[in-house]
Amino acid sequence: MRNSRKFRWASQTVAACAVAIAWVILGYGLRSQPDPEAWSEFFEAGGRFAAFIGIYLPFYLLAPVLAVVVVLALVSTRDWLSGLLTTAAIGVALFEGWVAMIGGPLFQAQPHLMASLIWCVVADGVAIVALVGVWLTHTGEPTRAVNGVAVGNSRNLRRASQTVAACAVAIAWVILGYGLRSQPDPEGWGELEAGGRGAAGLFIYLPFYLLAPVLAVVVVLALVSTRDWLSGLLTTTTVGVGLFGCWVALIGGPLVQAQPDLPASLIWCVVADGVAFVALVGVWLTRTDKPTRAVNG
């Protein structure tokens, strides 16, 4: 038990430090020395205001919240903190994807932002890996044997598998969004007539934006609870992400020319979604149904 607690404390400390480092690295990219010419060229008054409202203001507002979560995770190993820290790590990853999606001209104005995003992803990945160790040593109820099965260990494995699956689904969606919102090819978009642009907006971009908050809710629920009905909901979400990726690949032919990064994003989205499916196998194998009881013998 003592070794398990020490490993849990070490894993949670590494995860908290990695989340903090990821946020600091991202902040460095956003606040590093800008390119004056690019700022004047790409960011007229409206562009600067949009960058402030869409990126800088959320960054400053989320920073103290993240700091509180990191400090709590460094001074305590209570079970509810594992869910809170995991949610923070996913939030950092989603904000990275948001910056990558809408910050196209900002990469020209902030030359260090791209490298900062890459290292931020690496640090956040380290946090998620460390969080697997946290969930594997989740204390919860004491381990007990039911029909020869160690229920406590089974629940720890279930929680770890569900965490990995939820993280993989979120990453798959962010990757797909990056491909849809990355720097477009002006010539490719110019070849799309008004009808083609309208169809892309109606059948691809609009469903993506509408489904994003639903997916975010499912991921957060899966990170903070291991109720049996969530396994079905998370599996349905994973299947939905895979089907939406196939939908984009099937009807988005001209869009692939207009968005050069979309094919690679689709491939990596499928890879991340596949990781989620593999992790869901562990979730279903450790499903905690109610014990069978005999009635009238």
Side-chain angles (χ1 to χ4, degrees):
M1 181 65 71
R2 287 182 179 178
N3 291 335
S4 176
R5 286 179 178 175
K6 289 180 180 179
F7 180 76
R8 176 181 176 82
W9 176 81
S11 299
Q12 187 164 302
T13 300
V14 171
C17 292
V19 168
I21 291 171
W23 199 253
V24 170
I25 292 173
L26 180 59
Y28 170 76
L30 291 172
R31 297 294 303 167
S32 58
Q33 185 67 29
D35 181 354
E37 183 179 351
W39 267 105
S40 60
E41 181 179 352
F42 290 105
F43 284 91
E44 64 280 357
R48 294 181 185 179
F49 181 75
F52 177 77
I53 293 296
I55 296 177
Y56 285 91
L57 182 61
F59 177 83
Y60 292 132
L61 292 178
L62 292 173
V65 178
L66 191 73
V68 171
V69 173
V70 168
V71 170
L72 289 175
L74 289 174
V75 299
S76 176
T77 57
R78 294 182 181 274
D79 289 337
W80 58 271
L81 277 173
S82 54
L84 190 61
L85 186 58
T86 304
T87 304
I90 293 297
V92 172
L94 293 176
F95 190 76
E96 294 162 7
W98 173 254
V99 173
M101 282 191 291
I102 73 170
L106 192 61
F107 290 119
Q108 304 294 329
Q110 297 289 149
H112 298 294
L113 181 57
M114 179 59 74
S116 294
L117 271 177
I118 295 172
W119 285 108
C120 183
V121 170
V122 171
D124 205 45
V126 171
I128 292 174
V129 171
L131 282 167
V132 174
V134 175
W135 286 109
L136 284 173
T137 54
H138 190 80
T139 53
E141 297 180 3
T143 302
R144 56 189 178 88
V146 177
N147 295 329
V149 178
V151 176
N153 292 335
S154 177
R155 286 179 177 174
N156 289 341
L157 178 61
R158 175 182 176 83
R159 187 174 290 274
S161 300
Q162 187 165 301
T163 300
V164 172
C167 293
V169 167
I171 290 171
W173 198 254
V174 169
I175 291 173
L176 180 59
Y178 171 77
L180 291 172
R181 296 293 303 169
S182 58
Q183 187 68 27
D185 179 6
E187 183 178 351
W189 270 105
E191 293 179 357
L192 287 174
E193 65 281 357
R197 296 178 186 177
L202 182 62
F203 295 108
I204 295 179
Y205 286 92
L206 180 61
F208 177 83
Y209 292 130
L210 292 178
L211 293 174
V214 179
L215 184 134
V217 171
V218 173
V219 168
V220 171
L221 289 175
L223 290 174
V224 300
S225 176
T226 56
R227 295 182 181 274
D228 287 336
W229 59 270
L230 277 174
S231 56
L233 187 61
L234 186 58
T235 303
T236 303
T237 303
T238 306
V239 173
V241 171
L243 291 177
F244 188 77
C246 293
W247 172 255
V248 173
L250 286 174
I251 72 169
L255 191 62
V256 172
Q257 303 295 327
Q259 297 289 146
D261 294 324
L262 184 57
S265 294
L266 281 172
I267 294 173
W268 286 108
C269 176
V270 170
V271 171
D273 207 46
V275 172
F277 273 113
V278 173
L280 282 169
V281 173
V283 175
W284 285 102
L285 287 176
T286 54
R287 186 177 170 87
T288 54
D289 292 321
K290 294 181 178 179
T292 304
R293 58 190 181 90
V295 178
N296 295 330

